[in-house]
Amino acid sequence: MVRRARENGPFALAGVFAAAFAVAIAHLVASLLHPQSSPILAVGSAVIDATPTPMKTWAIRQFGTNDKIVLIGSVLAGTLVLALVAGIIARRHLRVGLAITFLLVALAGAAALRRPTAEILDLVPAVTAALLGPLTLWWLVRALLASEGPAAASDAEPGSSRRGFLIGSGALLLGGAVAAGAGQWIYKVRSSLGNIRLPGAAKTLPPLPAGLETTIPGITPFVTPNARFYRVDTKLAVPIVDHSSWRLSIDGMVDNPFSITYDELRDMVFEESDITLTCVSNEVGGRYVGAARWLGVPLRRILDRAGVSPDADQLMSEDVEGFKIGTPMSALMDGRNAIVAIGMNGKVLPREHGFPARLVVPGLYGFVSATKWVTRLTATTYAKDTSYWTDRKWATDAPIKIAARIDTPRPLTNIDPGATAIGGVAWAQGTGIERVEVSIDGGRWQVAELGPDGGNDYWRQWFLRWDATKGNHRLAVRAIGKDGAEQTAVKASPFPDGSSGIQQVLVNVT
C-alpha cells in the first residue's frame, strides 16, 4: 500500500498541477471577457441554481456572507480531487486520464452556456482549459513515465525526465499563480467606476442625525457604510456593466413600452430616500439588514409613463444576466417610495450593490423587490410568468416582518457588573417603530429609549440602561409598530416568507 502510494503520488500531483494551471489561465481569459464564464465560477453558479432551497438556507445560516467563498472553495477542491484521480489513472491508461481531464472542462463549458445571457465568447475560457489541461497532463505524465526507466518509456534518460518534471511543475505552479493574480487584478481594474458623478436631487432630505453609536459602544451605526452593507445574491462574480451601453427597458402589459440609457435616466427627476433593506434569509437577530440613503427616480413615475395595464399584477424585473425577480404590482402603486436607485449614501451605487441601477422598494424583502444590475421591467401576471425564487417555492408577496435585534452585549460574552447598556436596532418598514421593550431573565417588559428618527421606512436604534449583577442572564427584545402591531413570539424559519420570533441573548456578568 505504501509503495503504491509512493508510486502514484507524483502522477496524482501531475493531475492536480495540470488542472490548477488550466483553471488559472482560463480564469485570466475570463477576466478579459465575462468573469462569470470562468470555469470554477460557471460550475459554482450551476451548483447554486441546482441546490435545493433547504440546503441554501442552511448554507447561509452556517457560513453567512462567506457562503460564496465556501462554495467556490468546494468546487475547486472537488475539481482538484477529480484531477488527482485522472493523474493516477493516466499512469496506466493515459488516454483515459486525458479524457477525464477533458470531461471536467467540458462540464464547465456546458455550465457557462447554461447562463440565460450566455454568448459564444463564454466558451473561450473553457476551450482554453480544454487545450491546456490535457496537454499539460500528457507532458507531465510522459516525463514521469520516462523517469521510471526504459521499461516505462525508452525515449528519455530517467534522471533528466525527473528533473524535467520537477522544473516543469514548478513553472506551472508559478505561472498559474501569476495568471490567477493577474486575472483578479484585471477584474478589479475593470470594476472601477472612474469619475462618474451623481446628479442633484430635486427632493433632498436634511442630513441624518448622529446615531447612538457615538455613545453606546457596540451598537450598529445608524447609517450602514456601503462597504459594510450586507450582500446576498446568486452572483459568484459581480457583473461588470458598461454604463455607456446599458439600457433600462420597460415592456409587457403596457401602452407605451420604451427604453432609456444611463444618461437619460440621470436626466430624470431624482429624490433622496432613507430606506432600510432586509433579506428574507435573515434569521431572528441576524445581520442581513442595513439602512442607507438612496438616490433614485420614483418607480411609479416610470411605470406611469409606460401606462401599465390594470390587469397586470406583477412587475418582473430582470438583471443583466437574465436573473428575474417578481414584485407585486400593488406594492408599487400604493404610494410607498419605491425607486430605481443609482446612488447610495452620497456615492455612485457600488457594483456590488447593483451599478448602474437597482430597485429599492421599502417594506418588501429583497427577494421580491431589490433587483440589482436591473436592465428590464416587464408588467405581467403571476399566472403567466414565474421568477427565480417563486420557481423555488418562496412566497410571491413578502412584507418585511417587524423585528428588533440586540447588538450589545453580544451573545455568550462576559461583561463587567454595574452600569451598562443593552442596545440594538429595530425596524417596522412602512409604519415605523413606536417603542422597543426589553425583558431581563423573563421579567417584565421594560421600555427602551429610542435613537434618532429616520422615517417610517428606516430603522431605529434603541438602548436600555441596565445595572448588571453577577451571574448568567437572559436578555430578550421585542418591537411595537406605530400601527400597534407587536413583534410576534411565534418562531418561523426564513423559508418561505421570512423568519419570526423573539431574540434572546445569554450573557455572563463576571
Side-chain angles (χ1 to χ4, degrees):
M1 182 69 71
V2 175
R3 179 183 177 184
R4 180 174 297 180
R6 187 183 299 115
E7 292 174 347
N8 288 333
F11 291 89
L13 289 177
V16 171
F17 292 160
F21 178 70
V23 166
I25 298 298
H27 184 70
L28 173 60
V29 173
S31 70
L32 297 169
L33 301 173
H34 300 145
Q36 291 282 16
S37 64
S38 174
I40 295 298
L41 299 185
V43 172
S45 295
V47 171
I48 288 177
D49 291 342
T51 300
T53 295
M55 190 173 295
K56 285 182 181 178
T57 303
W58 176 86
I60 292 175
R61 183 169 59 249
Q62 296 297 318
F63 304 115
T65 54
N66 294 318
D67 59 336
K68 293 182 176 65
I69 296 175
V70 172
L71 174 60
I72 293 174
S74 299
V75 172
L76 182 58
T79 300
L80 295 181
V81 167
L82 292 175
L84 179 150
V85 173
I88 294 175
I89 293 176
R91 183 187 181 207
R92 301 295 184 188
H93 307 282
L94 181 56
R95 291 183 180 180
V96 177
L98 297 179
I100 294 175
T101 303
F102 183 83
L103 180 61
L104 287 174
V105 178
L107 291 175
L113 286 181
R114 284 186 70 255
R115 294 167 51 241
T117 58
E119 301 176 4
I120 194 64
L121 282 177
D122 291 333
L123 273 179
V124 175
V127 171
T128 301
L131 294 173
L132 290 178
L135 180 62
T136 304
L137 179 60
W138 174 84
W139 182 80
L140 291 173
V141 169
R142 290 293 297 169
L144 285 171
L145 289 175
S147 71
E148 291 184 344
S154 58
D155 57 351
E157 291 295 326
S160 62
S161 297
R162 176 71 66 174
R163 287 194 298 272
F165 171 76
L166 294 175
I167 294 173
S169 298
L172 289 176
L173 289 176
L174 178 61
V178 171
Q184 288 300 103
W185 180 80
I186 291 171
Y187 176 75
K188 184 176 181 180
V189 170
R190 291 185 63 195
S191 299
S192 174
L193 293 178
N195 296 318
I196 300 175
R197 288 191 173 186
L198 289 175
K203 177 185 175 182
T204 59
L205 299 174
L208 286 166
L212 295 180
E213 67 270 18
T214 59
T215 56
I216 308 295
I219 202 168
T220 296
F222 191 44
V223 178
T224 307
N226 291 356
R228 293 177 56 187
F229 207 97
Y230 78 91
R231 178 191 159 211
V232 177
D233 51 59
T234 62
K235 302 292 189 287
L236 293 181
V238 175
I240 299 177
V241 184
D242 181 1
H243 67 282
S244 64
S245 60
W246 173 88
R247 301 185 74 87
L248 177 63
S249 300
I250 298 88
D251 57 20
M253 299 170 64
V254 298
D255 297 328
N256 305 300
F258 66 94
S259 65
I260 53 177
T261 65
Y262 186 71
D263 287 340
E264 288 171 336
L265 179 63
R266 284 168 50 91
D267 288 338
M268 299 181 73
V269 178
F270 278 78
E271 298 180 1
E272 290 181 334
S273 303
D274 296 328
I275 299 173
T276 296
L277 298 184
T278 310
C279 178
V280 71
S281 298
N282 198 47
E283 299 278 358
V284 173
R287 299 283 156 174
Y288 292 151
V289 57
R293 172 162 292 182
W294 307 90
L295 179 69
V297 175
L299 183 56
R300 178 67 183 268
R301 190 174 300 153
I302 293 175
L303 296 179
D304 286 346
R305 174 179 167 182
V308 176
S309 167
D311 295 328
D313 60 9
Q314 175 183 208
L315 182 69
M316 186 73 75
S317 50
E318 183 176 341
D319 74 10
V320 294
E321 294 185 347
F323 179 87
K324 295 180 180 180
I325 281 178
T327 307
M329 192 68 75
S330 58
L332 306 177
M333 298 294 189
D334 64 2
R336 73 183 70 194
N337 195 25
I339 61 174
V340 177
I342 68 169
M344 182 179 182
N345 287 331
K347 298 181 180 179
V348 174
L349 191 66
R351 287 198 187 276
E352 293 80 4
H353 294 290
F355 178 86
R358 67 170 295 168
L359 300 187
V360 176
V361 182
L364 293 179
Y365 286 115
F367 81 106
V368 293
S369 67
T371 310
K372 292 176 280 192
W373 315 286
V374 64
T375 188
R376 181 179 297 277
L377 303 173
T378 302
T380 183
T381 65
Y382 285 105
K384 179 182 178 183
D385 294 308
T386 58
S387 64
Y388 183 91
W389 294 114
T390 54
D391 283 340
R392 288 155 178 79
K393 309 305 180 184
W394 289 80
T396 55
D397 186 8
I400 297 173
K401 298 175 182 178
I402 182 173
R405 184 183 75 196
I406 298 174
D407 292 333
T408 183
R410 302 286 291 173
L412 304 178
T413 54
N414 296 322
I415 62 175
D416 296 328
T420 188
I422 306 168
V425 288
W427 53 90
Q429 283 96 322
T431 58
I433 291 293
E434 176 66 27
R435 68 183 186 276
V436 173
E437 298 176 341
V438 177
S439 172
I440 302 172
D441 296 327
R444 65 179 180 84
W445 289 102
Q446 305 177 53
V447 178
E449 298 183 48
L450 295 179
D453 189 353
N456 289 344
D457 292 327
Y458 208 76
W459 63 14
R460 295 290 294 270
Q461 295 170 311
W462 60 267
F463 74 99
L464 178 75
R465 302 185 189 281
W466 177 37
D467 186 15
T469 57
K470 289 185 177 181
N472 295 321
H473 297 280
R474 178 167 53 89
L475 314 177
V477 64
R478 68 181 182 184
I480 294 89
K482 293 179 180 178
D483 60 353
E486 183 178 293
Q487 180 177 346
T488 179
V490 177
K491 295 182 180 180
S493 64
F495 180 81
D497 61 357
S499 65
S500 67
I502 300 295
Q503 184 190 14
Q504 298 188 53
V505 171
L506 296 177
V507 296
N508 182 37
V509 181
T510 59

